Amino acid sequence: MPFSISDFRSSGLKSSGARPNLFDVQVTGAPDQGADAKSTEFTMLCKIASIPTSSVGVIEVPYFGRMVKIPGNRTFDNLSVTVINDEDFKIRNAIEKWMDALNSHETNKSQIGGAASASNLSGQIQVKHYKRDGVTTPSQIWTFNTCYPVGLGEIGLDWGSNDTIEEFTIDWAYDYWSHGQFTS
């Protein structure tokens, strides 16, 4: 069958497709060390996020000279976000304090209690995706559970960088994510 634009348009691609710039990211339940940056500030200054890869491993079992493949364990890549830096470094300072509480630069120990539990070292992140119809209810939402920062990217300083704002990345480890669809 020859290519048909009208068939392509009617094949399920509603309006003009999902847009990657209609999203927000919220961090909740951060330990006290991360409380310096309000969740609304993080949501407003989080410029880039991605829905990480989720993979199911493969276990190969030999059987009569052939390798039979069986589904293995699920693994998750880290969640990476890019944040616009403000002049007070509120978000960056909060993440540095959070990471210091997880493992101090000087003592190589956790600063939160003697027997730190995952609940007081971690938070939750939600990535919400919106439609172009102007409705403020997200159409998709990904919830990342038991999150904590594991990587804080550099901020490049350069005298030749005029008319730009500093940015940095944060990599988050988490136990698992769940995905929900919403209808508006």
Side-chain angles (χ1 to χ4, degrees):
M1 176 176 188
F3 177 76
S4 167
I5 292 174
S6 59
D7 288 347
F8 174 74
R9 287 192 181 276
S10 64
S11 69
L13 184 66
K14 296 180 180 178
S15 70
S16 58
R19 301 296 173 99
N21 61 348
L22 299 175
F23 76 97
D24 69 34
V25 178
Q26 295 175 337
V27 178
T28 56
D32 291 339
Q33 285 74 12
D36 294 20
K38 297 177 185 164
S39 179
T40 54
E41 289 172 342
F42 189 89
T43 299
M44 295 303 291
L45 295 177
C46 183
K47 176 183 173 186
I48 301 172
S50 61
I51 290 51
T53 303
S54 171
S55 304
V56 175
V58 176
I59 301 169
E60 292 187 357
V61 180
Y63 178 74
F64 281 93
R66 299 189 88 169
M67 298 305 284
V68 178
K69 296 181 180 182
I70 299 171
N73 294 330
R74 181 177 296 275
T75 59
F76 301 99
D77 289 348
N78 286 341
L79 170 64
S80 183
V81 299
T82 300
V83 177
I84 299 169
N85 198 22
D86 67 297
E87 285 191 312
D88 293 330
F89 286 67
K90 286 182 185 176
I91 293 173
R92 185 166 182 101
N93 290 342
I95 298 299
E96 285 180 0
K97 285 181 184 176
W98 190 346
M99 291 178 78
D100 190 59
L102 294 168
N103 188 304
S104 169
H105 286 240
E106 184 178 348
T107 64
N108 198 29
K109 290 193 235 178
S110 172
Q111 301 299 310
I112 301 178
S117 69
S119 63
N120 63 3
L121 294 174
S122 62
Q124 183 182 73
I125 296 176
Q126 289 188 328
V127 177
K128 298 176 184 178
H129 195 283
Y130 298 89
K131 293 182 180 179
R132 291 185 61 218
D133 60 7
V135 177
T136 58
T137 304
S139 62
Q140 308 284 322
I141 186 167
W142 289 264
T143 303
F144 298 85
N145 295 288
T146 320
C147 299
Y148 56 92
V150 294
L152 185 58
E154 68 177 18
I155 296 176
L157 304 175
D158 179 0
W159 283 9
S161 293
N162 294 329
D163 301 323
T164 61
I165 298 176
E166 294 174 352
E167 298 176 353
F168 60 92
T169 58
I170 306 170
D171 291 326
W172 303 87
Y174 55 93
D175 285 343
Y176 64 96
W177 58 257
S178 57
H179 174 234
Q181 281 181 291
F182 294 87
T183 55
S184 50

